[in-house]
Amino acid sequence: MVLDQRFVQIWIGVLLALASAPAGAAPPPESTARSEAGWGYHPPPEERAVSSQGFCSLDQPYTEPPFLADQTTGIACPGYATQSPLCTGPFCPESRVCPGTRTLHEDLNACDGAGCCLPGSVDPDGVVDVLPYLARPAEWPFSADASVDRSTNVDDSPGIATAIECAASLSASRRTVAFAAGRYVLRTPLRPHHDALTLEGPELSPEAPPGDPSTATLVAIPCNPEQYPGAIQVTRVVKPDGTIISAVQGLWIRNLQIAITEGPRTKANSGIQLNTCSDCKVENVILRYSPLVPQLPSCKPSNLEGIGFTWGSGGVIRNVLVDGFSKSGIYLSSIAGYHDTPPILVENCEIRNIDGPVSASGIKIVTANVTVRNCHVHHNMIHPGDGSTTVSGGHGIWISTQISPGPGIPSPVPYNVVVKDSYFHHNGGSGVVLASPLENERPKGILIKRVKFAYNGGHGVHVQAGAGVEFLDVWSWGNALYGVLVSSRTTLPATSTRVEDVILENLLVFDNALRFTSGSYPGIRIEASDVTIHGGAVARCEPWRGMQSRSIQQQCWLSGPAGAQVLSHPEENVISDVRTDGLSAPEVLACPY
């Protein structure tokens, strides 16, 4: 069958193992659903052509289980640290403030602007070769040798900062800092706070293994993981003369492998962190979490993310592979009315093995004006530090409002978000979650189109809060719980705005409820009002597989905190033209309360 040939298979007892897992673990799952160019996910033509008449063949006779656990599930981190290691070692000054964080390396060197350019390092097109700027000790000449990661006297950050300062002084419309193939050690991240600047290595394939000698690899071994742990950081800069640089425009990061070896536990940060960066681009980049000492997932730094576009950043994240990070693979967060919310396009991405102790979701969207397309998000699962197996997390994509970060600052609310032509599978939580911890805010204007959700450990689709939400031509099968759950249940005050104007059109929902061994469960469950379901099919293709033996169920629900719950009934819901193969007709259950 089509999917059996293209999608990753997991065998019971030998599920997911990470590059950072203990010795003896199986290698991490690789993508088998990439585009012609190798990046991301593009449905093959024969899958796009599958009609509602023949969709059961996609899963027959597939016996793959949902992703409920891996070999490290339930294993606590002994003595889990609540704070990352502090500044120590040869690169740590007495002040404990790592050079290049508060004061930039370019403000600590002995040159300025064009005076930083070394003879022969700049070509006529404004491309600066970074190699002449490295100040390597004799015993560590520049190469691709990974043993340099264990050195105590190599830091390429200051030299690269000088090359960036040289490039910024050039008159070319776009200035480029070129990284030759090899391995660069960063004790503090690069801080490229200049407009129209490109950081670029040799052409990179998504198949490139870690440390491939034909690629440029930036290895972040942070002086202090609680300051700036990543490889590239754009954020507000205060220059020695008091000048403040609060925004960057047109920064492009291309064709680089990035290895992050540690991260923060108290304040979130990313391998590539772009704050207030407009028209910026991360393209053809592989980011991996690669600790110098193997870690259990439950021991990973809880606040480390892969790529962050925040504080009004916008642009493109294209052709990226993010593997093994802790909190989220891609994190998009800005506050409308407080920050700008320029468009963000995420396309041709693969996010996998996000599996730390907090959140552990593939993509998290907490902003407006986002499009995600052609992405492959899989094998993400939360591993709490205490070994708990009941904590929510590990979702494929999480679209949620967020509590205000401080007095006088609005809460971030996602709106105008489109996710299409993507595949979310084998995530420990649900395939997609729309949620809100706020009483009067929820995601708005969300379109999920031509997306597949399969073999997730929760629901395929879970709408906890949202208004103006449409799921169009979505497939949901093989999930542990419901194929689709739309529910206004909440422990917030019963007057909270939850679900409104949700449309499910032309969905294919089949063979779900695999976690249950008995009972009768629907493919789609509605505990909400103002929901429209039109067209598509809900089916049980294999009677022996899963407990989805009902089609669509509606039922009353309780909302509100304990002691103040209010009973609500589904109202103004419309169900039309839905096929129910091998299942009961849509039904409204008796209220049990």
Side-chain angles (χ1 to χ4, degrees):
M1 74 171 185
V2 174
L3 292 189
D4 209 1
Q5 298 169 353
R6 297 184 180 276
F7 294 157
V8 178
Q9 291 196 2
I10 296 296
W11 300 101
I12 298 174
V14 189
L15 294 174
L16 171 66
L18 303 174
S20 59
E30 299 291 340
S31 168
T32 57
R34 287 186 173 141
S35 71
E36 295 79 4
W39 298 96
Y41 170 73
H42 293 253
E46 61 267 29
E47 287 176 22
R48 291 195 293 267
V50 171
S51 70
S52 61
Q53 302 296 321
F55 65 88
C56 277
S57 64
L58 293 172
D59 200 45
Q60 186 182 25
Y62 220 28
T63 59
E64 187 169 349
F67 193 52
L68 301 177
D70 63 19
Q71 62 192 34
T72 57
T73 296
I75 301 178
C77 178
Y80 180 73
T82 57
Q83 188 172 29
S84 294
L86 296 176
C87 180
T88 57
F91 298 97
C92 181
E94 291 183 6
S95 68
R96 297 299 178 104
V97 177
C98 301
T101 53
R102 292 184 188 172
T103 302
L104 303 185
H105 281 301
E106 68 180 62
D107 294 324
L108 297 172
N109 61 24
C111 63
D112 183 58
C116 294
C117 296
L118 297 178
S121 67
V122 183
D123 77 5
D125 297 322
V127 177
V128 178
D129 178 5
V130 78
L131 288 186
Y133 295 85
L134 304 185
R136 288 287 185 94
E139 65 269 29
W140 291 111
F142 180 76
S143 72
D145 184 358
S147 60
V148 71
D149 299 355
R150 307 284 179 176
S151 67
T152 59
N153 58 349
V154 174
D155 183 7
D156 295 322
S157 301
I160 298 171
T162 301
I164 290 173
E165 186 174 4
C166 166
S169 72
L170 304 177
S171 59
S173 58
R174 172 157 293 277
R175 294 73 58 87
T176 298
V177 177
F179 293 79
R183 201 169 187 88
Y184 302 81
V185 175
L186 310 178
R187 306 293 176 170
T188 51
L190 308 181
R191 304 284 301 282
H193 62 284
H194 304 283
D195 296 341
L197 179 70
T198 298
L199 308 180
E200 185 166 21
E203 185 175 350
L204 179 66
S205 161
E207 309 296 338
D212 184 332
S214 68
T215 66
T217 300
L218 308 183
V219 185
I221 307 175
C223 166
N224 185 345
E226 292 296 347
Q227 289 178 6
Y228 292 139
I232 300 171
Q233 178 97 21
V234 172
T235 194
R236 183 176 181 269
V237 169
V238 180
K239 303 290 281 182
D241 62 2
T243 302
I244 297 175
I245 301 174
S246 58
V248 171
Q249 184 173 14
L251 173 67
W252 295 357
I253 301 164
R254 305 184 69 249
N255 290 318
L256 294 171
Q257 289 213 63
I258 294 175
I260 307 297
T261 63
E262 249 297 355
R265 289 171 169 82
T266 59
K267 188 175 181 181
N269 212 311
S270 306
I272 296 176
Q273 180 69 46
L274 303 185
N275 299 335
T276 322
C277 191
S278 62
D279 190 27
C280 291
K281 182 185 297 184
V282 177
E283 185 176 47
N284 296 4
V285 170
I286 298 174
L287 291 96
R288 295 183 175 94
Y289 180 63
S290 305
L292 297 181
V293 177
Q295 292 175 319
L296 287 165
S298 58
C299 294
K300 288 185 176 182
S302 56
N303 267 311
L304 179 63
E305 293 164 322
I307 301 173
F309 269 38
T310 59
W311 298 6
S313 291
V316 177
I317 301 172
R318 175 186 294 124
N319 298 354
V320 298
L321 166 61
V322 183
D323 187 5
F325 280 77
S326 174
K327 193 174 184 181
S328 58
I330 293 177
Y331 178 62
L332 311 175
S333 176
S334 295
I335 304 172
Y338 188 77
H339 302 125
D340 291 335
T341 53
I344 299 173
L345 171 63
V346 180
E347 67 175 350
N348 302 342
C349 71
E350 181 175 0
I351 313 296
R352 68 191 190 198
N353 305 331
I354 310 302
D355 65 352
V358 175
S359 182
S361 295
I363 300 174
K364 187 168 184 180
I365 299 175
V366 194
T367 187
N369 305 321
V370 175
T371 297
V372 176
R373 66 189 183 203
N374 306 125
C375 282
H376 185 202
V377 181
H378 60 104
H379 294 93
N380 305 297
M381 185 174 192
I382 193 168
H383 292 79
D386 62 2
S388 170
T389 58
T390 60
V391 177
S392 176
H395 307 303
I397 183 166
W398 188 0
I399 303 171
S400 178
T401 68
Q402 208 166 59
I403 295 171
S404 167
I409 303 176
S411 296
V413 177
Y415 66 86
N416 189 28
V417 174
V418 177
V419 182
K420 62 182 182 179
D421 299 316
S422 297
Y423 182 40
F424 297 83
H425 66 99
H426 292 98
N427 298 290
S430 295
V432 59
V433 173
L434 274 63
S436 175
L438 306 176
E439 182 177 351
N440 296 314
E441 295 287 2
R442 55 210 166 151
K444 301 173 183 176
I446 312 297
L447 172 62
I448 312 289
K449 183 177 181 180
R450 295 191 303 271
V451 177
K452 302 181 180 72
F453 302 100
Y455 308 109
N456 297 292
H459 309 287
V461 172
H462 190 183
V463 180
Q464 302 174 17
V469 176
E470 183 173 6
F471 290 86
L472 178 62
D473 298 326
V474 164
W475 301 0
S476 182
W477 79 95
N479 297 290
L481 302 178
Y482 301 122
V484 178
L485 173 61
V486 181
S487 178
S488 285
R489 287 179 182 267
T490 180
T491 57
L492 294 170
T495 55
S496 300
T497 55
R498 296 288 91 191
V499 173
E500 180 183 6
D501 186 21
V502 172
I503 297 174
L504 311 176
E505 185 170 354
N506 293 330
L507 269 61
L508 301 182
V509 181
F510 59 100
D511 287 356
N512 292 286
L514 268 63
R515 178 179 294 185
F516 305 110
T517 57
S518 63
S520 182
Y521 298 88
I524 300 175
R525 185 174 178 91
I526 306 298
E527 299 171 351
S529 297
D530 197 13
V531 177
T532 299
I533 306 175
H534 177 72
V538 186
R540 191 176 194 184
C541 298
E542 298 292 342
W544 52 268
R545 192 153 182 259
M547 293 293 120
Q548 180 187 312
S549 57
R550 321 296 291 180
S551 63
I552 302 170
Q553 288 181 345
Q554 301 181 64
Q555 191 169 46
C556 63
W557 68 96
L558 291 173
S559 288
Q565 291 182 317
V566 173
L567 178 65
S568 299
H569 294 267
E571 298 178 352
E572 299 182 5
N573 293 340
V574 177
I575 301 173
S576 63
D577 299 326
V578 180
R579 284 178 50 206
T580 56
D581 294 352
L583 302 175
S584 64
E587 56 193 326
V588 179
L589 301 182
C591 185
Y593 305 111

